[in-house]
Amino acid sequence: MGGVATIAVTVAAAAGAVALFRYVDRHARELKEALRDKTTRAGAKIIDYERDPESGIFRQKR
């Protein structure tokens, strides 16, 4: 009976691991899409500045 119990526990553990992987993958995909949307919309608004060494004033990078 110990062999049958081992097989049953192994199958249950494998099914649990697959379910956990699918759950994490689904939520990670949703998070990636949300972040991609945020960065895509904000990407056009970002202006990068650098400090002019002579005057000390920040100017837009070229």
Side-chain angles (χ1 to χ4, degrees):
M1 201 64 167
V4 173
T6 302
I7 291 172
V9 169
T10 303
V11 169
V18 168
L20 178 64
F21 176 79
R22 294 178 83 186
Y23 175 81
V24 170
D25 186 49
R26 182 176 59 242
H27 286 286
R29 194 175 315 130
E30 291 172 1
L31 178 62
K32 286 179 189 176
E33 289 174 8
L35 290 175
R36 188 178 318 122
D37 289 344
K38 292 282 186 188
T39 56
T40 302
R41 275 189 268 142
K45 298 177 185 176
I46 295 175
I47 301 173
D48 199 13
Y49 288 94
E50 63 184 351
R51 187 177 214 160
D52 184 12
E54 294 176 8
S55 65
I57 297 173
F58 285 93
R59 299 187 191 270
Q60 187 175 354
K61 276 189 173 180
R62 297 178 191 176

